[in-house]
Amino acid sequence: MTKEILSARRTALWDFFHSKTGVIGVVILLILICMTLYAVTSVPLQSFQQWNNPAYWIDYPKNAAPAWTNFLKFGQKMPEHIILTQKQASTTTSFDHGISTVTHTYTVNYNYGSPPTDFMIPYSAKYGQTPPVLRIDVMRPDGKDFLIYDSALPPSLIGATQNEYNNRIFSTDSLITQNLGVYERLFNYLQDKTMPQVMIFSKTTYPAVLNGVYKWNERFYLFSSSDTVETTGLILGGSVYGPMGTDELRRDLAVGIFWGAPVALFIGLTVSLASVLIGLIYGIAAGYKGNRTDEGLMRINDFFYSVPALPILVIMSVLIGRSIFLIVGFLIIFGWIGTAKISRSLALQIKNLNYIEAAKLMGESDIKVIFKHIIPQLLPLTLASIALAVPAAILTEAALSFLGLGDPSIPTWGQILHQANSAEAAARGLWWWIIPPGLMIALTGLAFALIGNAIESITNVRSR
Amino acid sequence: MTRIHYFLVKRTINMLVVIFATLVLTQALLGSTTDKILTEAVKNDQINALNQGNLKFRSLDERQHYVDTQIQLNIKALGLNEPWYSPTRFVNTILKLAVLDLGQSHFFTSDSGSSNVRDIILEKLPRTILLFTSSTVIITVIGLFIGGRLADKPSSAWDKMNAFLAVSSSSFPSWWVGMLMIFAFAFVYHIFPARSTPLLPPSDPYYIFNLLYCMILPLVTIVIMGFSSWAYIVRYFMAGILREDFILAKSAMGIPKKKVVYSHGLKNAAPPIITSIALALASSFAGSIIIEAVFDWPGMGKLYYDAIGVMDIPIIIGITYVSTLIFVVTIFITDLIYAYLDPRVKVG
């Protein structure tokens, strides 16, 4: 490699990083790559695989706004949805007269304008013939201790030595209502016993939320040394959750948005790379060979050019399949047409240049001439075309997903919007369900469009 | 044969090939599935007819024999005993499609209660055409006006802004902007309905006003998302023309600038503009199918969306076929306009 080529490359790079739009594009792209890395390393893979499984999202709130909306509000804050798992609990174990007591204590600092919408306590325990007893009490900030639940777990199956039992206690449990009856006299005003979450989180003097630190003790009395408490938890229902809120199916939208980034980048880059390469070789073959080959190949190109892509894509994904790899394949079928046309006309110009004639006279084969002398000339254009083809690929995939034909096993931004549209999110004002996925599609497209335009204008300047 | 004839023949053949290939493709993908569905339908029909009729048989065998022969006769009458690619079946399918005999829908009916796919589609088609044509006309007018203005003053601040708008609007999904419009103008400000399906029945005298009122929001969305890239295309080609000597000469002759730009400039820049715009039209066509679904505009796009939701195969095929037809004809018409405007195609 000679010095001139190296310095030419350096100036090209210099030009690129001094075009404003190109830099903006690169910055957006870097953000997307960071999102991808974050998704791959920090968002659990299970949440990605279980995206369309409603059972996985049962602990989450329905249609909750993002938590940060509280900062934009004046006055009282909306209660945040709180999910506490065993990791956040402090565990104490004591042993007395053959009975071991396991206590999981959950500490919640509650500072909101209204009580939780409900609460849930999931638990699971392993035990033998004598079922353990579960007793739950809430230590309120005002020092009052409410025993809300006290009951034995159901007996094991006969003959089973080790029985694992999972259950959830809901705030609507009749035992909780009964137990709270005892504390009614502490309040100066009438209590609605069907809403224990209100009573537990209210002041005794007048109807208002009692803010402060609550301690939920979930205490298991185990009567055999082999009995164990597997998991416990505490979920306080709220109307805001997480950085991006949740949707109608209780899914954490942040998971979908983050995992959407690698999926979109994969689709966009694979489709554009493959279709531009196919188009490049196809166009050069047509332009370089000329005559009959050119005519024939260009008729096929004309044919694809006048086929409406979307309806055909719809038919193919309805009838053949919707896996993401198939969709990528379908998009490539319609992706190569434009590049083929442009590279053909460029090949027509280049093939008449003297050095090509010379190479041919020296007896170089057609394939060698194409790959050694023509393609290198078209590389800058190819690079620009690849970048410029990405937005179209991402938009088309999003359109297919939006029509309900996306890969059902993974979350994509288009699918999130499809579900938002089915649930009429726009008319119901659930903006957090609509704005982020669409913005991500647009930004991803924009990044590549800007980069492509920057490369194109640099190469145009050079060719002038 | 002159050049224009050659051009027209080439385009016509291309159009026919596209339509034919779409047909073959859908048949190849679907043929065996639809055959299976039809055969099942024939069997069920026969058994139902027998259960409701009062034919008496001496034995079960006789009954079975009767059912089998009836089914065989019907299958033969419908031509289902041959595969979809056999010549007779294939010619029949093409003839059926040529008269838009697209079968029966499983889930949808037209307003008049017919479940015939052709009736349903023909009922929705005018509304799609209304929305698509009116938005295209508005975009064309705005695009030509702004494009001409910008070509006159290249690299002004407005020009740069329009270029940025064009790039960003082509990377924004227009249907997503539609959702935002619903959020803004139906949820936050109650100006337009969230669902663009008119509430009045089509027989009502005020139906047309109701329909036009419902059309405003989708129309505005399509125009907003479309005009800047049109203006960009017009400006790109016009700027080149306006630098030519003959235009400068016209200006020097004292012809008003406006007339020079819109009459002489536009005429000469028209052919490449038309080609680029045909492409833009093609992509916005796909976009407006989805826009309809977002706004619940009672056209073909919305029907498509609903049909995909419940997998009503006859409707999906019917719309694919009809929209391919419309698309191909649109491309053909732009080719004709191109041939009319570009003298190089005409001169043999």
Side-chain angles (χ1 to χ4, degrees), chain B residues 25-26 34 37 65 84 97 139 195 228 301 308 326 344:
Chain B
L25 178 74
T26 43
T34 40
I37 296 170
H65 181 71
W84 64 269
L97 286 176
I139 290 176
R195 310 188 58 188
S228 60
I308 290 169
I326 295 173
R344 278 165 298 182

CSV table of all heavy atoms in Angstrom, one decimal, chain B residues 25-26 34 37 65 84 97 139 195 228 301 308 326 344:
chain,number,residue,atom,x,y,z
B,25,LEU,N,-46.9,-16.7,-8.0
B,25,LEU,CA,-46.3,-16.7,-6.7
B,25,LEU,C,-47.4,-17.1,-5.6
B,25,LEU,O,-47.2,-18.0,-4.8
B,25,LEU,CB,-45.6,-15.4,-6.3
B,25,LEU,CG,-44.9,-15.4,-5.0
B,25,LEU,CD1,-43.7,-16.3,-5.0
B,25,LEU,CD2,-44.6,-14.0,-4.5
B,26,THR,N,-48.5,-16.3,-5.6
B,26,THR,CA,-49.5,-16.5,-4.6
B,26,THR,C,-50.1,-17.9,-4.7
B,26,THR,O,-50.3,-18.6,-3.8
B,26,THR,CB,-50.6,-15.5,-4.6
B,26,THR,OG1,-50.9,-15.3,-6.0
B,26,THR,CG2,-50.2,-14.2,-4.0
B,34,THR,N,-55.2,-23.8,-0.1
B,34,THR,CA,-56.6,-23.5,-0.5
B,34,THR,C,-57.4,-24.7,-1.0
B,34,THR,O,-58.5,-24.9,-0.7
B,34,THR,CB,-56.7,-22.4,-1.5
B,34,THR,OG1,-55.7,-22.6,-2.5
B,34,THR,CG2,-56.5,-21.0,-0.9
B,37,ILE,N,-58.5,-26.6,1.9
B,37,ILE,CA,-59.7,-25.9,2.6
B,37,ILE,C,-60.9,-26.1,1.8
B,37,ILE,O,-62.0,-26.5,2.3
B,37,ILE,CB,-59.4,-24.4,2.7
B,37,ILE,CG1,-58.2,-24.2,3.6
B,37,ILE,CG2,-60.6,-23.6,3.2
B,37,ILE,CD1,-57.7,-22.7,3.6
B,65,HIS,N,-71.7,-44.8,0.6
B,65,HIS,CA,-71.4,-44.8,-0.9
B,65,HIS,C,-72.0,-43.6,-1.5
B,65,HIS,O,-71.3,-42.9,-2.3
B,65,HIS,CB,-72.0,-46.1,-1.5
B,65,HIS,CG,-71.7,-46.2,-2.9
B,65,HIS,ND1,-70.5,-46.5,-3.4
B,65,HIS,CD2,-72.5,-46.0,-4.0
B,65,HIS,CE1,-70.5,-46.5,-4.8
B,65,HIS,NE2,-71.8,-46.2,-5.1
B,84,TRP,N,-53.1,-27.7,-8.3
B,84,TRP,CA,-53.4,-26.3,-8.8
B,84,TRP,C,-52.6,-25.9,-10.0
B,84,TRP,O,-53.0,-25.0,-10.7
B,84,TRP,CB,-53.0,-25.3,-7.6
B,84,TRP,CG,-51.6,-25.3,-7.2
B,84,TRP,CD1,-51.0,-26.1,-6.3
B,84,TRP,CD2,-50.5,-24.6,-7.8
B,84,TRP,NE1,-49.6,-25.9,-6.2
B,84,TRP,CE2,-49.3,-24.9,-7.2
B,84,TRP,CE3,-50.4,-23.6,-8.8
B,84,TRP,CZ2,-48.1,-24.4,-7.5
B,84,TRP,CZ3,-49.2,-23.0,-9.1
B,84,TRP,CH2,-48.1,-23.4,-8.5
B,97,LEU,N,-59.5,-14.7,-11.5
B,97,LEU,CA,-58.9,-13.5,-10.9
B,97,LEU,C,-59.1,-12.3,-11.9
B,97,LEU,O,-59.3,-11.2,-11.4
B,97,LEU,CB,-57.4,-13.7,-10.7
B,97,LEU,CG,-57.2,-14.6,-9.5
B,97,LEU,CD1,-55.7,-14.9,-9.4
B,97,LEU,CD2,-57.7,-14.0,-8.2
B,139,ILE,N,-49.7,16.8,-1.6
B,139,ILE,CA,-48.2,16.7,-1.5
B,139,ILE,C,-47.5,17.2,-2.7
B,139,ILE,O,-46.5,18.0,-2.7
B,139,ILE,CB,-47.8,15.3,-1.2
B,139,ILE,CG1,-48.2,14.9,0.2
B,139,ILE,CG2,-46.3,15.1,-1.3
B,139,ILE,CD1,-47.9,13.5,0.6
B,195,ARG,N,-60.8,7.4,16.2
B,195,ARG,CA,-61.0,6.4,15.2
B,195,ARG,C,-61.7,7.1,14.0
B,195,ARG,O,-62.7,7.7,14.1
B,195,ARG,CB,-62.0,5.3,15.7
B,195,ARG,CG,-61.5,4.7,17.0
B,195,ARG,CD,-62.3,3.5,17.3
B,195,ARG,NE,-62.2,2.5,16.3
B,195,ARG,CZ,-63.0,1.4,16.2
B,195,ARG,NH1,-63.9,1.2,17.2
B,195,ARG,NH2,-62.8,0.6,15.3
B,228,SER,N,-41.8,17.0,2.5
B,228,SER,CA,-40.4,17.5,2.4
B,228,SER,C,-39.5,16.7,1.5
B,228,SER,O,-38.7,17.2,0.8
B,228,SER,CB,-39.8,17.5,3.8
B,228,SER,OG,-39.8,16.2,4.4
B,301,GLY,N,-56.6,-0.8,3.6
B,301,GLY,CA,-55.4,-1.0,4.5
B,301,GLY,C,-55.9,-1.6,5.8
B,301,GLY,O,-55.4,-2.5,6.4
B,308,ILE,N,-55.3,-9.9,8.5
B,308,ILE,CA,-54.1,-10.5,9.0
B,308,ILE,C,-54.2,-10.9,10.5
B,308,ILE,O,-53.8,-12.0,10.9
B,308,ILE,CB,-52.8,-9.6,8.9
B,308,ILE,CG1,-52.5,-9.4,7.4
B,308,ILE,CG2,-51.6,-10.1,9.6
B,308,ILE,CD1,-51.5,-8.3,7.1
B,326,ILE,N,-53.1,-2.2,-8.6
B,326,ILE,CA,-53.1,-0.7,-8.5
B,326,ILE,C,-51.7,-0.2,-8.7
B,326,ILE,O,-51.4,0.7,-9.4
B,326,ILE,CB,-53.7,-0.3,-7.2
B,326,ILE,CG1,-55.2,-0.7,-7.1
B,326,ILE,CG2,-53.6,1.3,-7.0
B,326,ILE,CD1,-55.8,-0.4,-5.8
B,344,ARG,N,-36.5,12.7,-25.4
B,344,ARG,CA,-35.6,11.7,-25.9
B,344,ARG,C,-36.2,10.4,-26.1
B,344,ARG,O,-35.8,9.6,-26.9
B,344,ARG,CB,-34.4,11.6,-24.9
B,344,ARG,CG,-33.4,12.6,-25.0
B,344,ARG,CD,-32.5,12.7,-23.8
B,344,ARG,NE,-33.3,13.0,-22.7
B,344,ARG,CZ,-32.7,13.2,-21.5
B,344,ARG,NH1,-31.5,13.0,-21.3
B,344,ARG,NH2,-33.5,13.6,-20.5
